[in-house]
Amino acid sequence: KNQVEQSPQSLIILEGKNCTLQCNYTVSPFSNLRWYKQDTGRGPVSLTIMTFSENTKSNGRYTATLDADTKQSSLHITASQLSDSASYICVVDSYNTDKLIFGTGTRLQVFP
Amino acid sequence: KAGVTQTPRYLIKTRGQQVTLSCSPISGHRSVSWYQQTPGQGLQFLFEYFSETQRNKGNFPGRFSGRQFSNSRSEMNVSTLELGDSALYLCASSSRLAGADTQYFGPGTRLTVL
């Protein structure tokens, strides 16, 4: 069964600190992997999209990495801000079914 | 450029009733996808429409249906509502098929079934 699992489920950090969120997937083959940020009460917003051949992609203070061999991706947030408090969702596009498979997300809280 | 809009934003229904949700995509976008989001399950794919044709469907019962109009606006219908249908329903639009393009999500419709 194709799955996307994220860890940790929730995370609390202090403003200014860095953090790394993990995404492990079993979807194979896949065409791209995405990270979304979802603020409470709002729809998800795309942060990065990486094809299977890309290893890293950045969007400001957000850097996503991808290891297609181990089927792992991570999202690194640098110098966190209060506005980073949100859920971060990893999504894998299944090449065979052309469906987007969503992880259950990591809830990040940044405190001053 | 206006974003994805969804109406209504909040809805309360009782078991057995039916409901229709509406989604207006970003101008020029031809793909509209629908998702159900619950705290325990995360985002679950319902279906995707592209140029008025259903291109993909998730694992939901037939009570969930949708359609897309010639102006790319889409509606989702849920018949014979059950308590478990209480969720946030999100739609997302993209210029190409969702798997090949960045999706832009609307704010969602919060459905509560009593």
Side-chain angles (χ1 to χ4, degrees), chain A residues 12-81:
Chain A
I12 296 175
I13 62 173
L14 293 177
E15 187 179 14
K17 298 296 185 182
N18 303 335
C19 68
T20 300
L21 314 180
Q22 299 290 344
C23 174
N24 295 340
Y25 60 93
T26 58
V27 181
S28 182
F30 76 99
S31 56
N32 61 69
L33 185 146
R34 310 166 182 212
W35 282 93
Y36 285 89
K37 176 188 178 186
Q38 185 175 19
D39 292 312
T40 302
R42 308 186 72 167
V45 174
S46 178
L47 292 175
T48 62
I49 299 179
M50 290 183 291
T51 65
F52 63 89
S53 61
E54 294 180 291
N55 299 120
T56 185
K57 183 159 280 189
S58 293
N59 178 358
R61 294 179 298 102
Y62 302 100
T63 300
T65 63
L66 175 63
D67 186 335
D69 292 330
T70 61
K71 296 185 171 56
Q72 295 180 326
S73 176
S74 64
L75 180 69
H76 186 74
I77 304 175
T78 303
S80 61
Q81 300 176 358

Side-chain angles (χ1 to χ4, degrees), chain B residues 27-95:
Chain B
S27 177
H29 283 191
R30 296 164 66 188
S31 166
V32 174
S33 298
W34 286 91
Y35 299 90
Q36 181 194 68
Q37 187 175 35
T38 57
Q41 296 292 318
L43 272 153
Q44 303 285 316
F45 171 70
L46 280 157
F47 28 65
E48 178 182 10
Y49 285 88
F50 186 86
S51 295
E52 301 179 67
T53 302
Q54 188 180 87
R55 295 298 300 267
N56 231 326
K57 191 176 188 304
N59 299 321
F60 278 80
R63 301 185 296 108
F64 292 82
S65 63
R67 58 178 177 168
Q68 186 179 34
F69 302 97
S70 58
N71 61 358
S72 292
R73 189 177 70 85
S74 178
E75 287 182 347
M76 190 192 84
N77 185 76
V78 187
S79 62
T80 319
L81 284 167
E82 301 177 358
L83 295 178
D85 296 334
S86 294
L88 179 68
Y89 290 88
L90 291 159
C91 83
S93 77
S94 53
S95 55

